[in-house]
Amino acid sequence: MKQLIFTCLLMFGGAMTADAQQVIKLWAGNPPTDNEITAAENEDANHWITNVSSPELTVFLPEKGKGNGKAVVVCPGGGYAGLASHHEGTLVARWLAGQGIAAFILKYRMPNRHREVPLEDAQQAIRYVRSHAGEWQIQPDRIGIAGFSAGGHLASTASTHFSITDGVSSRPDFTLLFYPVITMEIATHAGSRNNLLGDQPSPADLYTFSNEKQVNVNTPPAIILLSDDDRAVLPENSIRYYQALKANGIKSALYIFPVGGHGWGWNEDFAYHRQVLELLAAWLEDI
């Protein structure tokens, strides 16, 4: 499917496009499911984006000749109500590109209680990067997905709910999760669940979107990083996913820092920021 590609001049780029090479409209036409958001998209001074109805990929490529063939689709968090586009998006993509990894920030649509919507965008993002891998010197079997908080729920959903469309798989090859929402059960983040599934979700939806219950032998390997004192998204989320991965023999790593709370992303004032980068770099080199 032909996509519309917009090349961005760096001097005019905003928060999502600084140092980026392209912004790609994710769908050529209308996405499969309408999220029924009619308010205009808005980005405030803190790079918080709301009312997303037009999904895009923002492309950050390594310097010429320094790419290692890997790519990551980055899903910022925001409780399925908005996107923390800077410290869980732009800064992440810059770091990945510096590691030789092509990065694609996914500005995914807010579900507005239409549960299919974010997953449609994540699956399409993986398929798009995979089908255009040759253009960016990416190996089609080395494409991962990263997610923060509710973006971690989306990344783990894409890692446990995948399909083949027009011969292209939406399965990520590896997963990076930062303080992710995983379950839709008691330990969940209530705001994320309500925004995705509504105030009274069905038992079937609770089961389907509790991603620890969807792990199987085909789930990609994952690295999970979080803080023990996270009270917004309880550590039980990450632990459940890790245990499910281990039960299915999936290569995985879980790192729990003693303090830091929730939402630290790529903020340098996070006490374990340096360790996060070191752990990620080592894991990504081996994957």
Side-chain angles (χ1 to χ4, degrees):
M1 187 182 341
K2 187 177 180 181
Q3 305 289 330
L4 299 176
I5 300 179
F6 302 91
T7 301
C8 300
L9 296 175
L10 299 185
M11 67 178 66
F12 298 121
M16 290 286 283
T17 58
D19 303 329
Q21 287 79 26
Q22 294 176 319
V23 176
I24 300 168
K25 185 176 180 180
L26 192 59
W27 300 93
N30 293 327
T33 304
D34 185 354
N35 66 359
E36 298 184 314
I37 292 176
T38 57
E41 183 177 303
N42 180 67
E43 181 175 355
D44 68 16
N46 294 316
H47 311 298
W48 171 252
I49 304 175
T50 54
N51 300 324
V52 179
S53 295
S54 181
E56 296 174 342
L57 283 175
T58 301
V59 184
F60 291 72
L61 298 177
E63 291 183 28
K64 189 173 181 179
K66 294 187 177 180
N68 56 26
K70 297 175 185 176
V72 174
V73 172
V74 179
C75 304
Y80 283 130
L83 299 176
S85 68
H86 188 63
H87 73 291
E88 295 178 351
T90 301
L91 296 182
V92 183
R94 288 175 180 166
W95 182 84
L96 287 166
Q99 302 298 305
I101 300 169
F104 300 80
I105 304 174
L106 176 59
K107 187 172 74 173
Y108 56 92
R109 290 170 295 149
M110 296 301 98
N112 193 30
R113 304 185 179 188
H114 295 272
R115 62 190 182 281
E116 305 94 340
V117 165
L119 181 58
E120 287 176 353
D121 290 350
Q123 291 177 335
Q124 176 71 354
I126 295 290
R127 288 194 298 263
Y128 188 92
V129 175
R130 182 161 283 135
S131 61
H132 292 78
E135 300 173 17
W136 293 306
Q137 289 76 56
I138 295 167
Q139 297 183 30
D141 60 350
R142 303 182 84 184
I143 299 169
I145 192 166
F148 298 76
S149 192
H153 184 264
L154 179 54
S156 62
T157 305
S159 298
T160 51
H161 301 70
F162 41 82
S163 61
I164 296 175
T165 301
D166 297 329
V168 182
S169 174
S170 69
R171 178 188 179 274
D173 296 300
F174 55 91
T175 310
L176 316 176
L177 298 174
F178 302 83
Y179 39 87
V181 179
I182 294 293
T183 189
M184 291 286 105
E185 296 182 337
I186 293 174
T188 192
H189 177 252
S192 297
R193 182 177 65 185
N194 292 348
N195 288 326
L196 183 68
L197 303 179
D199 296 332
Q200 296 181 319
S202 69
D205 282 348
L206 291 175
Y207 175 80
T208 299
F209 289 93
S210 290
N211 293 326
E212 78 279 13
K213 296 185 175 181
Q214 308 307 320
V215 173
N216 59 39
V217 295
N218 296 313
T219 303
I223 182 172
I224 311 167
L225 303 103
L226 66 149
S227 293
D228 185 62
D229 62 349
D230 191 334
R231 296 296 175 261
V233 177
L234 298 179
E236 183 179 342
N237 284 263
S238 294
I239 294 168
R240 285 189 184 192
Y241 196 71
Y242 175 77
Q243 289 175 329
L245 290 167
K246 296 306 294 179
N248 283 275
I250 307 299
K251 180 180 179 180
S252 53
L254 174 67
Y255 296 100
I256 304 177
F257 303 104
V259 295
H262 186 75
W264 30 264
W266 245 243
N267 289 336
E268 293 185 3
D269 60 0
F270 174 50
Y272 298 94
H273 178 69
R274 179 178 58 81
Q275 288 90 335
V276 167
L277 302 189
E278 291 173 351
L279 291 166
L280 277 175
W283 193 85
L284 286 165
E285 185 175 353
D286 290 340
I287 198 66

